[in-house]
Structure formats: structure tokens, C-alpha cells
Amino acid sequence: MKTEARNLSAPFLASGSVTLGPSESGVVDTQRTSIAFRKPIMLDEIRFQASIALDLTGNLATINLGDNVRARIQLGRFAMSNSFVPIWHFGSRLNLEHTVDSSTVDLGVFRTNISHFRWRLPRPMFIPAGQSVITEFFRTPLTQSALDATCWVSYAGRYLAPDVEIPKETCVPYVTAYLLPQLRSAITSVATGQSGENDLYNPFSQPFHVQRAIGRLLQVTNDGGAVRSYLENSSPNANAIGALANRMNIKMWDSYGREIANAPPLADISGGSMSIMVPFNDAFVYPRAAWTFHRTMSARERYYVQWLDTNPENVDSMTPSVSIVGWRKETL
Amino acid sequence: MPSFNRAFMPPKMPYQYPNTTPLSLTATATVASNSSAGVNSIALKNPMGQPMEILEVRFQLNTIGYPGSNLSTILGGMIYCKMDLGEHEITNGFVPTWCFGKWESPLEAFVAVTQLPAEQVYIYQTYIWKLPKPLYVPAGSVLIPTFQHTGLFQNTVEISVTYNCRSFPVGTPPPEKLSLPYVAAYTSKTFERSETETDESTETDLVNPFSVPLHIQRFVGRLQVFQSNVSVAQETPPTTTAAGSGRVADAPTSYENWQIKMVDMLGRPIVQDFTPFRMVFDAQSRSWEMDNGAVMDPNSYIIAYCRKAAGTGVIEGGPYFSQAFISVVGWRDLVGGDTK
């Protein structure tokens, strides 16, 4: 076997972490995530893990950190996200993302909440030798807890031979998200909202190839005025099928006014018609939290999302968010 | 000079066979604790006497749990399997049955508890391995599995192994090139919960013993947490329940306190620094999926370094131990002659 062909495509994984309190941000140490021996790699997957140990003597019992922890990812001058995007908005759901471990200590009871997310890139991305993907994490403010969370990111891929021909262009994945400025509070009168022009937007002067749209519903449960949990709403809730499942509805359309997610209008009692919005968990079916469709957005094209909460006075609040995941070509 | 485009194109199927017939073959074995057993290999032979391709292997492990409790036990790390196709080894010795495929769903492990006439706990676990490439089995040959019960669990285990195949029509010529799957695994020593421990694999664990590259389908990473009497063996710690129930979780013993680093035989990093176990072997599939052209060099090995931090505090029902299982699953191409 010739020397230059050895380790032609050996696998590679690098990880790094930061510990953040609420409203703090931090950049993952690039020394840990840089590729050793200055070799080029093909990056296939980015993984996130966030964990927090909650004191169970407090009110907050469970938290899925997918919304609370946000990441901004960059490779040199190539942005891979439109800003800080919640870490559950990069990849679709495959399986259980959130687990809760408990340990008993002499002084009290702690419960470690661990949230895992995986983003299989829509196209493998070429990382030139000597460069590294930079991830910056940010945590949003959190009521009921000022505890630190440990945020990990891993980059998984494979080495390329040192003499591989550097491509003239590479596929750079990109995620753009529509997020509410803050979590909706319980018993709110605000029942509807709409994304802005810079949310689900292709900011590039070239086509953006959409892989999927991801939709997440953060449900904040309250108990006597105190927040008990931040978890993702699951429509297969035996107590709430037909209620919580259809409580949040959405409508989507593009820059040209073409409807993407909507339902046919029904006649109302006055003889007119009203547009029915699609239940959130029908558009972003719960097992995947995603809607995979392959479409190319033109330069500067955008999508709009309007949401409607049919029961905003419920003690449990629901905050929707939507992201578009895809890739574009960039010249190296 | 290798071109960039070819570097990341996925491998293609070498041939296509039309007019095949689906076929499912099942054999069973009963393995007592601390023993091994084979299966009736006739049951795994194509009854039509024609060549076939195996597309998927399934293991179903059934046992009865400890009465008087609702304790569940995970068997994938206690039942091992060795597979051979004639002179060709498909596994590097005995490999844990949960180290072949990725974690498909929480229903991988199912527990049924009956209350009458007395409480009985029935445990069913299914592990599925979709082969990286279909395995061609010549007419009259059998892929022979042999099972081993490590003895960590005292009850007998009934094992069913199923091959999902397709049978070829009479007169189908054999392929010019064969792809043989291969699985090599490493099982760490058991670490007691309150201790900080390290371990590493040897040169004969995660190994490619062949003189051709081993194309990697995935790395599988599993963690087992169990009590000293193995009345409870879990993969991911459950949430706390009432005192005395036995199903007690422990965050410091769980995967978060395990860290992994991997290097190849020349010391080059595969997992660059000590990384949380579930950041390497993704929590949603218990694996690191490849299918991107990654290979192990011929006659090479990977060393996995494990490190576990000590747990804190006191846990009911202890002492508790944990153990890591890592495997590399892939295939090699066999083109005429002996490639060993």
C-alpha cells in the first residue's frame, strides 16, 4: 500500500465545550476543534449536547435546552446560520433528544437534564487544511434558574489525503430561523404573530437549496404561577389530543405570495369563507419535527410564517419557532 | 492524484439481480448462563438450494426477569455472537449483540409484567443489523452464528436469529466481487460508580486484520449500568422512582461522566480529545454513522481510551457499575482468491 494512500479517508471527530449561565455567550475553544496535522477534511455532521443540573427542591423540574441554548456557526467568512439559532433547529429529530438523569446526594436531590441534537449536513462540507469551524453559544434568559449549562459541539467527518485537489467551490450549509423575541408568558392575550422579512430569508446573491423546514413548539408548564418545565410539546399527548395538538396553527407563504402551508377555506356561518391554518404538528410532524421538501430559493427570496394560538389563556404557554435548513455554493 | 469529487461520492452497488425472491430464515438457541450455544444451521440454509443474499440480521433475546419486582434488564451487552461464513470470519470473535446495528427506537427493549398468578417479568429485546452491503451466500452455505452468555445474568436466555434475504433464480452466476461485512468490538472493564477509572482497548479489539481496507459503516457505542447482582441493567439510566424499587438512575454513572478518545495505530487522532461518550456515539442512534467513504487501513487497528469520573453522593440499591461497548462495523471487498 503506497504511503500517500494510507489514511485516505479515516474518520475524524473533534469536540469542544463552554459553560454558560443565562444571558451569557462563549466561543468554543478552537484549539480543541481544529484539525490536527493541518489536514483537510470533509465535514458530515455537527452534534450538540447541552446539560444542566437542576436542584429539585426548586420549582423548575425539567428543561429541554434545545431552545435555551443557541449557536452561531461560521467557517471563515462563510456564515452557517443567520444568527444565534436554537440548537434544536439545525437537524430533524430521530429519536429521544432529551433525557433526565437523577442522582441522590446527601444534601438534596439533583436532576441532570441532557439534551442531544444532531445535524447531518445536507451536503458534506470541505474544510481546508488549517481552518476550523467556529461555534459560539448563547443562552437566553431563563426564569426560575440561574444555573450554568455545559454546551458541547462535535464536528464529525473524515480526513482527506493531503494531496487532494482543492475544489474551486464547496457546499456550505446554512440555517435561517424565525424566533419570537422572547418566550410567550402564560395566560397571554397575544394570540398571533408573523415572521419578519429578515427571518426565513436567503441573504445570498445566489440560489439557496432548501433541504427542510424544522418547526419546534416550546411548551412552558406552570404550576401555581411557578414554571415547572420547559419541554417540547408532543402532540401524542393522551390528555390533550385535539386540544394542545391543534392549539397552535400556522400558515406559510413565499415572497411571491404563493401559499406553502395552508388549508382550504371553509364556509363560515355568515356565508363567507375563512382561511384555516394548518395545525403546527401536522406541518412539522412530531416524530421528525421537520418537513422535508427540496426547493431552491432564489437570491434574496424569503418565506413568511404566521402563527395562531387558539387558546392563549391556557396556563401552559406555547412558543413556536421555524427554521429553514439548506446549502449554497461558495467559492473557496 | 485522487480527485475531490470521487473522494466523497458514496460507494455504488457492484451488481443488481432482477427476479429475486424474498426469504426470511429463523433459528433459535437457548443459552444458559455462562455458556455458549449454536443454532440448528439447517434452518438458516436456503431451503430452495439456491444462492441468496442476506440483507438484514435480527437478534431477538427473550428472558424472564427477577420475580417480585418490575426490574428490567438489558441483554444486548450480556449476549455475544460470533458469525462465520465458511472460512470467512464476519466477526472478530464474540461481539455483543447490540454492537452490530444502531439504536432504532426505545422499543428496542420491551418489558411485559404480568400480575397473575404471580408477578412475572418478561423481557424482549430486538437488535437489528442492516448489512452495509448484501452478503452473498453460495448455494449450500450457511452464515453460522454462535452465541455466548457472559454469565452476568443468571437466567437462561432464548435467542432467535433471523436473516432477511433474497433468493436468486436458478442459473444466476455468482458475482465477480464479494463484499463481506465485518464487526470488531471492544468491551471495557466494569467501573464502579464511586471510582475514577480509565481503560483502553488492545490491538486485537478494534482491528482490521485483512490486507484490504475495511470500509466503515459505523461505530457503535453502548453503555451499560448495572447493579452488582445484575438485577438491573440499563443502557440509559431511568428516572428516579420510589425508594426500594431498584430503578434508580445515576447521572454520574451515566454516559455524561464517560469520555472517549480514539487514535489509529500510528497515533493519529480519530476522536481528537477526550469527548463525552454521547458526543462521539450520538445519543439518538448510539452510533457514529459513516457511509461517507471512511475506511480503516489494511492490517490496522484503533485504540479507544475510556475515562470515567467518579459519581457523587449515595445511590439507593447500589453498588452500581458501568461498562462501555464499542464496535466498528464495516465491509471489505473480496475479489477472487484469499485476501487474508
Side-chain angles (χ1 to χ4, degrees):
Chain A
M1 182 69 65
K2 294 181 180 177
T3 304
E4 61 268 23
R6 292 183 73 82
N7 219 11
L8 179 67
S9 289
F12 170 80
L13 186 143
S15 300
S17 70
V18 288
T19 300
L20 302 174
S23 303
E24 289 183 0
S25 67
V27 178
V28 176
D29 183 3
T30 52
Q31 277 216 316
R32 279 189 62 108
T33 56
S34 297
I35 303 124
F37 307 112
R38 296 181 63 83
K39 285 186 174 184
I41 69 163
M42 289 300 294
L43 182 65
D44 295 309
E45 200 171 292
I46 297 178
R47 301 170 190 167
F48 303 100
Q49 177 183 296
S51 61
I52 187 171
L54 296 180
D55 180 356
L56 282 183
T57 60
N59 288 314
L60 186 59
T62 321
I63 173 171
N64 184 329
L65 290 163
D67 179 80
N68 180 248
V69 174
R70 302 185 175 187
R72 180 166 63 189
I73 309 176
Q74 196 118 354
L75 171 66
R77 61 185 171 87
F78 301 140
M80 293 167 65
S81 61
N82 70 330
S83 183
F84 286 103
V85 173
I87 57 176
W88 68 8
H89 261 298
F90 289 88
S92 59
R93 177 168 45 229
L94 296 176
N95 233 314
L96 298 177
E97 291 172 332
H98 176 240
T99 55
V100 176
D101 294 347
S102 296
S103 67
T104 304
V105 296
D106 294 331
L107 299 178
V109 177
F110 295 90
R111 176 174 286 169
T112 301
N113 285 249
I114 307 172
S115 305
H116 295 268
F117 305 98
R118 188 182 95 165
W119 182 24
R120 187 109 184 142
L121 303 185
R123 291 285 179 100
M125 185 168 74
F126 177 79
I127 312 286
Q131 290 210 17
S132 61
V133 178
I134 298 175
T135 297
E136 183 179 2
F137 285 109
F138 169 70
R139 282 191 66 202
T140 57
L142 199 64
T143 58
Q144 306 282 351
S145 176
L147 295 171
D148 289 344
T150 303
C151 311
W152 281 88
V153 64
S154 287
Y155 310 119
R158 62 187 171 93
Y159 291 103
L160 294 173
D163 57 349
V164 73
E165 185 181 338
I166 294 177
K168 292 187 175 55
E169 56 184 18
T170 185
C171 301
V172 180
Y174 185 76
V175 180
T176 177
Y178 161 54
L179 310 168
L180 270 65
Q182 59 189 35
L183 295 183
R184 298 176 68 220
S185 56
I187 312 180
T188 173
S189 60
V190 177
T192 187
Q194 183 175 313
S195 61
E197 295 206 336
N198 293 326
D199 291 324
L200 303 174
Y201 170 53
N202 173 15
F204 309 109
S205 54
Q206 70 249 35
F208 174 62
H209 306 273
V210 175
Q211 181 194 32
R212 61 170 61 95
I214 293 175
R216 301 279 191 167
L217 261 183
L218 180 68
Q219 183 174 343
V220 181
T221 59
N222 288 275
D223 182 13
V227 173
R228 290 290 288 163
S229 70
Y230 296 85
L231 288 175
E232 187 172 11
N233 168 254
S234 56
S235 69
N237 181 340
N239 295 326
I241 288 177
L244 281 177
N246 293 337
R247 177 180 148 188
M248 185 64 67
N249 300 270
I250 65 155
K251 191 162 95 168
M252 280 179 73
W253 63 98
D254 64 12
S255 313
Y256 303 98
R258 294 177 294 209
E259 290 177 345
I260 299 168
N262 202 0
L266 296 177
D268 67 13
I269 57 172
S270 67
S273 69
M274 59 180 178
S275 198
I276 305 297
M277 301 167 99
V278 175
F280 194 91
N281 284 332
D282 285 353
F284 306 104
V285 62
Y286 175 72
R288 298 271 294 162
W291 172 15
T292 299
F293 62 93
H294 297 285
R295 185 183 173 265
T296 301
M297 289 175 79
S298 308
R300 317 292 183 199
E301 189 180 339
R302 47 182 60 83
Y303 291 137
Y304 296 94
V305 170
Q306 182 185 12
W307 55 269
L308 173 69
D309 186 347
T310 59
N311 190 8
E313 291 87 25
N314 195 291
V315 293
D316 295 341
S317 70
M318 295 175 92
T319 303
S321 52
V322 177
S323 68
I324 301 290
V325 182
W327 57 276
R328 84 275 187 190
K329 283 194 176 173
E330 292 281 3
T331 304
L332 289 173
Chain B
M1 176 184 293
S3 74
F4 168 73
N5 285 333
R6 199 178 307 133
F8 75 83
M9 281 181 65
K12 290 184 181 176
M13 286 293 296
Y15 51 83
Q16 293 289 340
Y17 282 110
N19 304 321
T20 57
T21 308
L23 184 64
S24 182
L25 304 167
T26 299
T28 59
T30 301
V31 189
S33 181
N34 208 21
S35 69
S36 61
V39 300
N40 176 11
S41 57
I42 301 296
L44 297 176
K45 187 187 285 193
N46 187 346
M48 291 172 272
Q50 287 150 217
M52 67 178 185
E53 267 185 343
I54 298 175
L55 305 170
E56 188 175 271
V57 176
R58 298 179 186 182
F59 304 104
Q60 187 176 65
L61 314 177
N62 307 328
T63 191
I64 295 178
Y66 290 95
S69 72
N70 64 346
L71 300 180
S72 173
T73 290
I74 299 292
L75 298 169
M78 300 186 205
I79 303 298
Y80 285 50
C81 179
K82 175 174 170 302
M83 299 182 115
D84 299 284
L85 177 64
E87 61 175 358
H88 299 295
E89 293 174 344
I90 303 300
T91 61
N92 180 27
F94 285 95
V95 170
T97 48
W98 67 1
C99 278
F100 288 81
K102 62 181 180 181
W103 189 61
E104 299 279 349
S105 92
L107 295 176
E108 179 182 87
F110 181 76
V111 177
V113 181
T114 64
Q115 299 297 333
L116 295 172
E119 187 180 288
Q120 283 278 46
V121 180
Y122 296 94
I123 298 166
Y124 308 93
Q125 273 138 44
T126 303
Y127 301 105
I128 300 172
W129 179 29
K130 192 168 173 64
L131 271 60
K133 292 278 188 86
L135 173 61
Y136 179 83
V137 179
S141 297
V142 180
L143 176 64
I144 297 178
T146 308
F147 295 97
Q148 182 184 67
H149 188 320
T150 57
L152 290 176
F153 182 63
Q154 69 185 37
N155 289 2
T156 297
V157 178
E158 289 184 5
I159 304 167
S160 295
V161 58
T162 298
Y163 299 157
N164 289 340
C165 324
R166 54 180 185 172
S167 178
F168 295 132
V170 174
T172 304
E176 291 177 2
K177 185 171 84 169
L178 293 179
S179 295
L180 294 176
Y182 187 73
V183 184
Y186 153 65
T187 301
S188 77
K189 63 183 185 186
T190 55
F191 295 172
E192 205 275 327
R193 179 184 164 273
S194 61
E195 295 174 359
T196 297
E197 294 260 20
T198 60
D199 192 25
E200 63 184 74
S201 63
T202 67
E203 297 166 3
T204 55
D205 290 323
L206 302 172
V207 63
N208 172 18
F210 309 109
S211 56
V212 294
L214 182 71
H215 302 269
I216 303 175
Q217 180 190 25
R218 64 172 63 92
F219 288 103
V220 177
R222 299 276 196 164
L223 270 179
Q224 182 168 263
V225 177
F226 52 93
Q227 290 176 306
S228 57
N229 64 356
V230 203
S231 57
V232 173
Q234 302 282 352
E235 185 177 17
T236 52
T239 55
T240 294
T241 57
S245 70
R247 297 186 69 227
V248 179
D250 173 24
T253 310
S254 73
Y255 46 81
E256 193 175 32
N257 272 29
W258 275 82
Q259 296 196 326
I260 295 290
K261 182 171 118 165
M262 291 165 69
V263 299
D264 70 6
M265 69 176 191
L266 297 178
R268 287 176 293 206
I270 294 174
V271 178
Q272 189 153 272
D273 294 296
F274 276 103
T275 301
F277 196 89
R278 284 286 168 240
M279 292 298 287
V280 178
F281 309 107
D282 168 55
Q284 298 192 41
S285 62
R286 313 280 198 256
S287 67
W288 176 2
E289 297 293 310
M290 298 284 165
D291 270 344
N292 57 3
V295 300
M296 277 182 75
D297 288 341
N299 299 309
S300 68
Y301 54 85
I302 292 171
I303 300 292
Y305 299 92
C306 302
R307 185 168 77 184
K308 188 193 82 65
T312 57
V314 177
I315 293 289
E316 297 168 357
Y320 282 89
F321 299 86
S322 57
Q323 191 173 27
F325 303 80
I326 299 172
S327 68
V328 56
V329 183
W331 79 93
R332 60 187 170 107
D333 292 321
L334 189 66
V335 182
D338 184 8
T339 61
K340 281 203 172 184

